[in-house]
Structure formats: C-alpha cells, structure tokens
Amino acid sequence: MPSGAKCRTRDAQLLNRYSLGVTDAGASDGNCQDSAMALGVYSRCLQQVSEPKAAQHTEAMAATGIISPNMDLWLSYLNFSKRHQTLEEVLRSYGRAIDLLGSDWRAAPVWSDYLALLKHAYNLKQKKENPDAELQGKLLAEDPNPIDTAKRMLKKELKQKQEESGRASADISDAEFLRVSEVLKIDTDFVRKVFQRCAGASHSTMDKLWVGYEQFEKSQGNPAMAAKYMSEHLPRYVKGKAAYKELSQLGANMDFYAVAVPLTPKTELEQRKTFDQWRAILRFERTNPLQLDTEELTARVALVYQQASLACGFFPDLWYDFSAWLDLGKKQEEATEVLRKAVQRFLPKDLTLRLLLAQRYELGESPLPGSQLEAADDAYRKLMDDMPRPCPLALINFLGYVRRQRGANDFRDTFLEATESSPHCTWEVYVFAAMTEYHVYGAVEAAAGVFRLGLERYGDREPSLLAAYVNFLIGCNDLRSARAELTQGVLDKLQQAVRDKLANREESRAMRESLAFLWQKWARLENYFGDAEADQVVADAEAENQRLGAAPAVGFSSQVARKMLAFKPALDVVSSRKRQVEGIPTERRGAQLPVMIPKCLQDLLAVLPSRPMKGAKPDVDYLLTVLQTVSIPPVPVKELDTFRYDSLRLLKSEEDLGRPIA
C-alpha cells in the first residue's frame, strides 16, 4: 500500500484509535486495497488490545493468536472478513467472536449474522438429505445473507481489483455452503446449541432470535421434545431481556471507543466518569441477574472487566477487583496473569499491584521450589529498584518474604544489610523488624535493641518511633522504662525548643508538633496507668487552671504531673511573653502572664528582663538541670519582710502568709 494512501472510513478510524503503536493503520473495510496488509493491521491491533491466547484460528491469524474483548473492533474485523475472506474463514471468525463476546449485551449483530449463515447452511443440508423438507415444514425462515450484503457495499474499483488479482471475495454458492457445513459439522445439534446459547444471553435481538429458536424446535417434528427444550430455556430468555434493559440504561452515553491513557489533571475527570459507568455495570453483573452457575458467571463478569480495562486501564482499583474476582472463581493462574498484565502495560509504579504480584509467587506448595523462589526474589528486588525512594513498605514486605521463606538468620542479616545500604530503610522498617523479633521469635531484648538502634538514627526527627517504642514497652508491662523514655524524649524536645528561642532562631513547627505529640502520649500513659494519687492531682490541676482561665487539665500521677505542669509552658515562655508584651500598654505589662503557667513560673517570669539580653547567652541546659534537680528549702514569707529587694517585686496574698514557697 503506498505510504500516501489514507483510510477514511469509520473502521479505519477505529483501527487508528486502537492501534496503540501501529503506525500505518491502513485496514479500512471499504477503501484499503491490500487485504493482506489490512489483515496484518487487524492482527496487530487486536493482539495489542488484549493478551494472545490459544485458540483455533484461521491460518492467516493463527500465528498472532488474536483475541480481544473489544466489541467494536471485532465488528470491524468481521466486516472485513465478510468482504475479503473465504466462507469457512468467515464462519470460524464468527464462532470465535461468539465464544469470546457472546455474553456481551451489545453482541446482537454478531448473533444475528452468525445465525443467518448457520440457518442457510442448515436449510441447504436439509434439502440435500430430504428434497421434500420445504413441504414438510423442516426448513427455517432465512434472513438476508450478511456476506452478500457486505459484498454489495464494496466499491467498484475494489471489486475490479480483487478480480484482476485473483483474490475474489468469499464464494457463497450452495455448493460451498454444503462443503463448509461438512467441514465444520453444522448439523441439528450444532444449530440447537447456538440457538440455546443465544437465548441465554442478553442483547437487543432476543425476541427475534427466540422466535427463530421456537421454529427450529418445532420443525424437528417432536412436539414433546420441543416443549421440553423451550420450557428449560424460557426463564433464561426472560431474565436476559430484563438484564439487557438494565444494562442498556447503565451504559447509556458511554464512550465505547475510549482508550486508556495515563491519568493527568486534564484527563482524569473524563476517565473517572467512564470508570464509574463501568463500575456500575460490574456491580450489576456481579449480582448474577441471569442466575448462571459459578463458572459461567465468572467468565461473564471477567469479560466485562477486560472490556473496562480497555478504557480504564490506569485505574489500579479495576485490576485489583479483577484479580480478586478471578480468585473468588478459583482461577488463581488467570488472576496472576491479570496482575502481571496490569503492571507490565499500565501501572509499573503502582506499589499495591506490584506487591500483590510478588506475593502470588509464594502461593502453592511449601517450601517453594527453587525456580519459584528465585522468581519471587527477582520480583521483590525489581520492585525495590523501581519504586520511588524511599519506599519503606516495599522493603518491609521484602523482609517479611525473607522471614517466611528463609528463616530468622537470613531475616536478621537482610535487615542489618538494609540499614546500611538500602535507600528504603526508614524508621518504619526498624519498627517492623523490632515487632517481628517480639511477636514471631519472642525475643524481647532483641526487639528493644532494634528500637534503640532506630532511636539512635531517627530519634531526633521521628517522635512516632519513640511512641512505637513506648507502646512496645507498655505491651511488655515495663511501665517504668516507658515513663523514662517519654520523660527523656519530652525533656530533649523542651531543651531544644528553649535553645532555639534563646538563640532567636525561627520557630520550628515540626518541633512544636513533636513535643505536643509526645506530651499527649505521656499524659495518656499516666492517665491510664498512673498511681492512686492521680485523682487528687487532677483535681488540684483543674482548680489551678480554672483560676488562670484555662481549660481543665488532664489527670496524671503526682510526680509526673508536677514536672509536666512546670515544663508545659516552656514552649511559650519566650513567644507568648513576646506576643503579649508587644500588644499591651507599658503600665499593664506587669500584670499580664501567659495562660497555663503555674504560679511558681509566673513569679520567675515577672522578674525576667523583657528586653533582649546582651552579652553571652546563658547555658540553658545547665539552668534546666538545676531547676529539675535542686531542692529549694522552704522559706517563711514573714522573714522576707526584713529584706530589701530593689529589683524584685514579690506579690503576696493572704493565702501566701504562713505558707512556704513551692
């Protein structure tokens, strides 16, 4: 075909849309001049739309293993076949289309054309065997020959070119029909099975084809047998009509020519609409409206999934549901193949599908054969190579696979190697390894050691790792260590926050959120597992906070409560004081104090300078250490009256008289 030749028919446009890489889609039904090239284009298109499977194909198509779930593409190919192939090839093509797409609710043209050809072949055979068959009412009412109709639509120049090249269209003489009937064994049983399959489908021409089936059974001359067959298939015929009505409504205005493309902000909205329509059809089909058995239902719904994948292949939910459906129908190999196709052709970076595919290599006998184990190793390692970095879930699943298949020693060695070299190793991997040591192997010390390794590496940046360690310690009934870890974590964050403030560094939102998270964790720990003094401390804390206009405090044990009440305002000592002082007149600044600051710290803040300090910065760590460790002896308030403090204002009340300073 010349490179400048163009195919402008609808079928050529359809081929262009589904060629997916076929650069010269010159396979028009009516305008293409080289049928061999057109057949090659159809073969490539159909093969690229779907995976090849073994089937009985014509000689020209057997090498490519053509099979596709796309109805429009098959209709286009069948039109081409009727114009350019032999009668035997046409009938075989229709048979394959029925086997693949017979349950499709848009398959009416395929059923009508196929049964028209079969009825003509059946009548010719009846006439040959019984010349009086027509008089005895044994012949079936025939429809127009679809091959003859397709031939009449060919342009004159194409007909002339076919004759000149010796490639005439299909011979549809009576002799050829009889010959093909003998080759394909088209007899009474064959035609009956096709009619019955058609009656059990759901499409737009069911009424017409059911009338044809009634005539066929009655023409056999056995009314009792005809009534038996009709009564058996009448319920499916009725259900098929109802199902077609529902499916036609669900599929209204759907773009059946849509092709799956990668999801982008521009394309996702339109593709999402198509995907939602397909999901509605799938939900209906999975309800089994035709009351099919398990095998038939699995195949029917699987076809809908395949058709949906042509337009929605970049939605991972579709592939996951498809594989789960096949697993439900006990078709594990097909489910694995579905996941492999999804990963290879559409979603190579989708972590969930990649993990599902890798895990399927572990299905089967245990221990795994060497070849299957090697395939699983390759799948997991390729997964980690392909995933964006870091991807801790990929590494976690690989470690789980190593533990299941190779044992504890290999698991530990692989984990230690990953901590040194893997870009996917994050704090989540440490938590997984530690919990594996604890739950699987019962090694408490080993689990604690893994947690400590993780804290050495990520403790300053990941409060969730410390929280996981605390949960582990609580699960081991080690509340003392849990308190110690939380105490140290909170104090470390406090010291870092104070250092940042005094150094006039910008506030770190992550720091504040981390401290708040650990603080709440600490409060819950003491609230749930504190000692008997916690109730009184809660009441005192609530009274103090209500007096200061704050929300009620959370209850916790006495020793920890004092530390928490003393240190909670430390985050706001500088920033809150600065914000309040800047917006308040000078004469009122002394009376304004941050909310939630205990009385002892209010007195301390009252004497602190409000202006920026000059000279060397104080050692905050040392100051905090002293405040935590030094015991200040009680001093009677009355004795302070004899002293003079030029720089200290002491606010006293009647409650303070006779009470030592806290």
Side-chain angles (χ1 to χ4, degrees), residues 25 112 116 122 289 327 343 419 467 477 578 632:
S112 298
Y122 174 81
D327 278 331
V343 168
T419 60
N477 293 325
K578 182 178 180 182
I632 301 176

Side-chain angles (χ1 to χ4, degrees), residues 357-363 368-383 398 401 405-406:
L357 180 59
Q359 290 170 1
R360 296 191 76 87
Y361 287 108
E362 298 184 65
L363 300 178
L368 294 179
S371 59
Q372 196 169 347
L373 196 63
E374 184 178 354
D377 280 340
D378 293 341
Y380 277 108
R381 295 188 184 279
K382 192 171 186 304
L383 166 64
F398 176 61
Y401 157 74
Q405 301 299 333
R406 303 187 185 278

Side-chain angles (χ1 to χ4, degrees), residues 495-628:
Q495 291 172 6
Q496 185 176 348
V498 173
R499 285 196 299 268
D500 292 344
K501 295 298 182 182
L502 292 179
N504 293 325
R505 287 194 288 265
E506 185 178 355
E507 291 186 13
S508 172
R509 180 179 178 183
M511 171 63 67
R512 297 179 65 85
E513 291 178 350
S514 297
L515 183 53
F517 173 73
L518 293 177
W519 199 278
Q520 293 168 7
K521 183 74 175 176
W522 194 1
R524 285 194 297 269
L525 172 65
E526 296 303 333
N527 187 35
Y528 296 151
F529 308 116
D531 54 30
E533 299 179 8
D535 292 339
Q536 184 59 42
V537 174
V538 170
D540 295 342
E542 289 179 354
E544 176 70 9
N545 283 280
Q546 288 174 1
R547 188 178 69 81
L548 295 173
V554 180
F556 28 77
S557 67
S558 58
Q559 179 183 3
V560 178
R562 292 190 182 95
K563 289 184 179 180
M564 293 174 69
L565 289 174
F567 278 98
K568 182 164 177 53
L571 285 178
D572 301 317
V573 165
V574 179
S575 59
S576 297
R577 180 178 176 84
K578 182 178 180 182
R579 289 194 298 270
Q580 292 185 13
V581 169
E582 289 177 352
I584 297 175
T586 305
E587 61 273 11
R588 296 181 55 195
R589 289 181 181 178
Q592 296 294 329
L593 292 172
V595 178
M596 288 295 295
I597 297 181
K599 186 66 168 60
C600 59
L601 282 186
Q602 292 183 32
D603 296 337
L604 176 61
L605 290 175
V607 299
L608 290 178
S610 59
R611 297 180 180 179
M613 299 179 60
K614 296 182 180 180
K617 301 292 183 182
D619 190 340
V620 179
D621 293 337
Y622 178 74
L623 175 61
L624 292 174
T625 302
V626 171
L627 291 175
Q628 295 176 65

Side-chain angles (χ1 to χ4, degrees), residues 82 85-92 94 112-129 142-149 151 169-187 190-191:
K82 287 182 291 186
Q85 293 185 307
T86 65
L87 177 62
E88 182 178 346
E89 290 172 337
V90 171
L91 285 171
R92 289 186 184 276
Y94 270 101
S112 298
D113 288 355
Y114 189 39
L115 281 170
L117 294 173
L118 291 181
K119 286 191 290 185
H120 184 64
Y122 174 81
N123 286 343
L124 290 176
K125 194 170 184 179
Q126 290 294 318
K127 289 179 182 180
K128 179 181 178 181
E129 294 175 355
E142 294 190 19
D143 300 317
N145 191 316
I147 298 179
D148 189 42
T149 303
K151 287 170 61 177
S169 56
D171 179 8
I172 55 174
S173 63
D174 292 349
E176 181 64 12
F177 262 100
L178 288 173
R179 186 192 70 80
V180 173
S181 298
E182 294 296 332
V183 173
L184 300 181
K185 299 180 180 179
I186 300 175
D187 54 13
F190 185 91
V191 176

Side-chain angles (χ1 to χ4, degrees), residues 202-219:
S202 52
H203 47 80
S204 61
T205 58
M206 292 194 68
D207 289 335
K208 176 183 176 181
L209 297 181
W210 179 259
V211 171
Y213 179 47
E214 284 183 325
Q215 182 192 13
F216 170 79
E217 291 294 353
K218 292 176 180 178
S219 69

Side-chain angles (χ1 to χ4, degrees), residues 634-645 650 652 657-658:
V635 178
V637 177
K638 289 184 178 181
E639 296 181 6
L640 297 178
D641 293 337
T642 61
F643 294 94
R644 179 180 177 82
Y645 297 95
L650 181 62
K652 296 185 296 181
L657 298 177

